[in-house]
């Protein structure tokens, strides 16, 4: 079904400006009504409902603030963008505080207007859809607190309940912060094992001997310091799920013992003499490439196959930017009762940031922003420097008129992308090369050319 054209009201007293805006927006496919001053604008608000209003702030008769106020009173879902003369930043900020969606400076760039309007209309469409389909969206965009609307996450949300009902072992892979823990517990909660224990252990946080006794338990006197008998986590998880986080860190030695326990469903406590039988489903997770670990001999292949019966890969957040607004909304609700909104440009920055720490970093950022801002409209100025600076570096290229050295400029840009890609992938060259669309050879060549370690 073809969507009806979005309706925009332009209120602007300067004739040339009004006509340019009107024409531009009509070419973009919107249905546009123009008003030559505030009073005419107010009259339109009584007569019709608009998706978006673009209004000048300073006008004879009623000004932009009155338009904003009236619009909020009559149709609160309509978004309002204020036009402000360069240099009168305060009135723009004031307007944002009063609930304007965004502001643009006069004189404006055509592309900028196009983008801001498009984002506004998309947002408006989304919020209409959200209110229409709230219940439906809840079930499709969220499973057990896992949020996502990107095609990749939709696929995962569809799979999670199916995998949960199955009894096979699952290996969850993905960068740090992509939701591996979250998915592991969802798999347990949605499984027939949910009335038994979900036991998680981080294999990286124990030295070898201790990890073994954590997993399998020990009898008094099995080693120095074993002053009592102790059940292992395999026993605690009996009937339920054992979550082996950072599974790549299990020492080779212990890997064989783990393999036997999984294959036979039995094991012995350290120092124990009887076999203990358990029924445990194993979910493991890693941010390492386990296949590579197998190839290099650091991980047993047979154990890898036992653990990786069902593989589940969580994509990094930068590959599913569509999820970001939804996640932000989720974390705003989680951390505050305030009704907080992001300006269009602040939201864009959050969407386009690379989020090396994935959802975890996004969550922490939102929590911090809520802690440090009192205003209910979050603008670019409220965002942490690392988010705004990275983008600025990229956007602000020097003017030709200032005189540039193109070779030098291009190598700086190249260097910046090489280092950034390495940071994002935690130093993994193969992945960094892939991110930049380079072959590994040429990536390595460039690194040595610039002396990047
Ligand atoms: N898709 C998601 N929807 C909602 N919250 C998420 C999602 N993915 C991750 N989170 C949250 O981000 C944080 C980090 O997730 P976690 O599962 O610990 O990541 P990992 O184990 O991969 O490092 C947690 O607070 C988690 O609840
Ligand atoms: Mg984790």
């Amino acid at each position: 079904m073809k969507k009806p054209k979005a309706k925009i009201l332009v209120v602007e007293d300067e004739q040339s400006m009004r006509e340019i805006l009107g024409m531009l927006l009509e070419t973009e496919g919107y249905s546009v009504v123009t008003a030559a001053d505030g009073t005419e604008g107010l009259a339109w608000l009584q007569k019709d409902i608009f998706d978006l209003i673009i209004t000048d702030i300073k006008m004879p008769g009623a000004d932009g603030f009155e338009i904003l106020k009236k619009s909020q009173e009559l149709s609160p879902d309509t978004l309002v963008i204020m036009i402000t003369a360069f240099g009168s930043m305060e009135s723009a900020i004031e307007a944002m505080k009063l609930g304007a969606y965004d502001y643009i400076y006069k004189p404006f760039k055509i592309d900028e207007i196009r983008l801001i309007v498009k984002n506004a209309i998309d947002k408006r469409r989304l919020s209409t859809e959200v209110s229409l389909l709230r219940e439906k969206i809840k079930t499709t965009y969220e499973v057990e607190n896992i949020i996502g609307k990107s095609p990749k996450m939709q696929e995962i949300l569809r799979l999670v309940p199916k995998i949960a009902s199955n009894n096979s072992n699952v290996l969850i892979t993905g960068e740090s912060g992509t939701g591996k823990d979250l998915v592991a517990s969802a798999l347990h909660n949605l499984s027939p094992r949910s009335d038994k224990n979900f036991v998680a252990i981080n294999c990286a946080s124990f030295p070898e001997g201790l990890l073994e006794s954590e997993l399998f338990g020990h009898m008094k006197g099995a080693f120095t310091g074993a002053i009592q008998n102790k059940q292992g986590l395999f026993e605690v998880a009996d009937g339920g799920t054992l979550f082996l986080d950072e599974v790549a860190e299990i020492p080779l030695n212990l890997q064989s013992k783990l393999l036997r326990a999984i294959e036979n469903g039995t094991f012995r406590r350290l120092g124990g003499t009887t076999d203990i039988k358990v029924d445990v489903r194993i979910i493991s997770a890693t941010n390492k490439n386990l296949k590579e670990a197998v190839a290099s001999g650091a991980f047993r292949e047979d154990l890898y196959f036992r653990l990786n019966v069902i593989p589940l890969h969580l994509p990094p957040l930068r590959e599913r930017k569509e999820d970001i607004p939804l996640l932000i909304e989720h974390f705003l609700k989680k951390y505050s009762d305030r009704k907080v909104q992001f300006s269009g440009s602040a939201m864009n920055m959050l969407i386009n940031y690379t989020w090396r720490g994935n959802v975890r970093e996004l969550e922490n950022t939102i929590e911090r922003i809520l802690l440090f801002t009192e205003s209910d409209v979050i603008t670019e100025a409220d965002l942490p420097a690392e988010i705004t600076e990275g983008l600025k570096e990229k956007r602000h290229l020097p003017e030709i008129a200032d005189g540039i050295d193109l070779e030098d400029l291009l190598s700086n840009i190249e260097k910046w992308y090489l280092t950034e890609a390495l940071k994002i992938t935690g130093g993994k060259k193969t992945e960094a090369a892939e991110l930049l669309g380079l072959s590994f050879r040429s990536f390595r060549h460039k690194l040595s050319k610039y002396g990047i370690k």
Side-chain angles (χ1 to χ4, degrees):
M1 196 177 70
K2 212 171 152 232
K3 282 183 188 162
K5 281 187 182 180
K7 265 200 207 163
I8 303 181
L9 171 64
V10 174
V11 192
E12 165 64 79
D13 57 321
E14 230 174 283
Q15 189 187 351
S16 60
M17 193 71 113
R18 184 169 68 240
E19 285 171 357
I20 294 177
L21 272 176
M23 247 156 33
L24 168 68
L25 297 172
E26 260 168 18
T27 330
E28 290 293 297
Y30 304 114
S31 146
V32 185
V33 171
T34 57
D37 58 34
T39 322
E40 201 181 312
L42 288 179
W44 270 110
L45 292 185
Q46 309 276 2
K47 271 188 283 191
D48 208 343
I49 298 174
F50 298 92
D51 295 292
L52 177 68
I53 299 173
I54 303 179
T55 177
D56 196 7
I57 293 188
K58 259 208 200 133
M59 287 179 297
D63 66 4
F65 285 101
E66 281 177 65
I67 301 278
L68 174 62
K69 201 165 144 235
K70 198 62 172 182
S71 159
Q72 285 175 331
E73 191 186 308
L74 293 175
S75 44
D77 291 338
T78 299
L79 300 177
V80 181
I81 295 177
M82 314 297 279
I83 308 176
T84 174
F86 200 80
S88 41
M89 183 78 182
E90 293 76 26
S91 49
I93 298 210
E94 183 58 28
M96 297 289 291
K97 283 193 187 139
L98 292 172
Y101 165 72
D102 210 339
Y103 55 85
I104 44 186
Y105 286 124
K106 227 172 0 185
F108 48 75
K109 299 203 180 74
I110 301 277
D111 282 343
E112 189 187 343
I113 296 271
R114 259 198 211 118
L115 187 69
I116 292 185
V117 169
K118 183 178 176 301
N119 285 342
I121 296 293
D122 285 352
K123 184 185 151 111
R124 162 96 169 115
R125 285 238 151 92
L126 184 69
S127 67
T128 317
E129 277 166 28
V130 166
S131 46
L132 283 177
L133 305 171
R134 182 132 275 181
E135 277 319 297
K136 200 171 162 218
I137 279 173
K138 235 192 177 140
T139 52
T140 36
Y141 287 178
E142 175 172 354
V143 172
E144 282 285 310
N145 279 327
I146 312 170
I147 314 276
K149 72 190 279 266
S150 59
K152 284 177 182 173
M153 285 309 289
Q154 286 285 293
E155 173 73 6
I156 287 166
L157 295 189
R158 204 176 55 76
L159 284 173
V160 160
K162 285 191 190 160
I163 298 178
S165 62
N166 188 291
N167 213 12
S168 310
N169 293 340
V170 184
L171 175 65
I172 308 173
T173 53
E175 289 175 12
S176 175
T178 47
K180 298 186 294 297
D181 279 61
L182 185 64
V183 168
S185 43
L187 287 175
H188 173 76
N189 293 341
L190 296 170
S191 80
R193 297 172 172 267
S194 61
D195 57 334
K196 297 283 174 20
N197 288 332
F198 175 76
V199 179
I201 177 168
N202 185 330
C203 302
S205 52
F206 294 92
E208 178 166 355
L210 217 53
L211 182 57
E212 182 173 4
S213 93
E214 280 297 313
L215 286 173
F216 302 112
H218 60 247
M219 305 305 288
K220 180 178 173 183
F223 49 87
T224 339
I227 48 170
Q228 294 178 315
N229 299 336
K230 184 174 182 267
Q231 273 197 332
L233 296 181
F234 260 91
E235 285 167 83
V236 181
D238 191 14
T241 308
L242 179 60
F243 176 44
L244 303 175
D245 201 2
E246 306 213 31
V247 72
E249 308 308 319
I250 298 184
L252 267 174
N253 216 336
L254 193 52
Q255 286 176 25
S256 351
K257 190 158 178 190
L258 181 60
L259 177 68
R260 274 196 309 276
I262 296 174
E263 281 184 338
N264 308 332
T266 61
F267 64 93
R268 281 186 186 183
R269 299 188 191 116
L270 270 76
T273 48
T274 47
D275 285 340
I276 297 170
K277 199 164 172 45
V278 287
D279 164 30
V280 171
R281 183 189 199 189
I282 311 272
I283 299 180
S284 21
T286 180
N287 55 9
K288 299 267 163 63
N289 186 332
L290 259 196
K291 250 192 222 147
E292 270 174 19
V294 168
S296 75
F299 205 86
R300 288 184 67 120
E301 187 172 34
D302 42 12
L303 178 59
Y304 170 71
F305 287 127
R306 279 285 166 191
L307 298 178
N308 190 30
V309 180
I310 305 180
L312 197 56
H313 179 69
L314 300 180
L317 193 53
R318 61 180 173 279
E319 287 175 14
R320 44 176 166 117
K321 292 181 181 294
E322 312 94 293
D323 291 342
I324 293 176
L326 217 59
L327 285 165
I328 290 177
E329 196 186 322
H330 174 72
F331 295 135
L332 286 178
K333 267 195 220 125
K334 178 167 169 188
Y335 289 107
S336 167
D337 298 329
R338 281 157 60 193
K339 258 192 100 55
V340 176
Q341 269 200 331
F342 284 81
S343 78
S345 48
M347 183 58 100
N348 269 333
M349 288 204 154
L350 293 172
I351 292 175
N352 290 313
Y353 182 60
T354 32
W355 300 113
R356 267 173 236 129
N358 294 296
V359 186
R360 178 177 293 115
E361 186 184 3
L362 176 64
E363 178 167 2
N364 293 341
T365 303
I366 299 298
E367 193 184 358
R368 243 188 312 154
I369 290 176
L370 285 171
L371 206 64
F372 292 124
T373 55
E374 272 157 24
S375 156
D376 285 343
V377 179
I378 312 286
T379 64
E380 275 180 46
D382 301 314
L383 303 182
E386 66 264 23
I387 293 179
T388 45
E389 266 163 22
L391 285 169
K392 276 195 194 125
E393 256 174 81
K394 264 188 284 178
R395 280 189 317 184
H396 285 282
L397 296 174
E399 297 290 334
I400 296 183
D402 299 339
I404 59 169
D405 176 343
L406 186 61
E407 295 276 331
D408 189 52
L409 181 63
L410 292 179
S411 6
N412 276 334
I413 294 179
E414 193 165 48
K415 250 192 277 182
W416 186 86
Y417 276 107
L418 294 170
T419 353
E420 195 69 2
L422 281 171
K423 273 194 228 155
I424 290 172
T425 59
K428 286 190 202 114
K429 290 187 193 152
T430 334
E431 286 172 33
E434 204 174 309
L435 275 183
L436 298 175
L438 293 172
S439 72
F440 184 69
R441 274 178 67 106
S442 95
F443 181 72
R444 214 178 37 187
H445 174 73
K446 286 177 194 296
L447 288 188
S448 71
K449 178 170 146 201
Y450 293 119
I452 300 172
K453 296 266 155 59

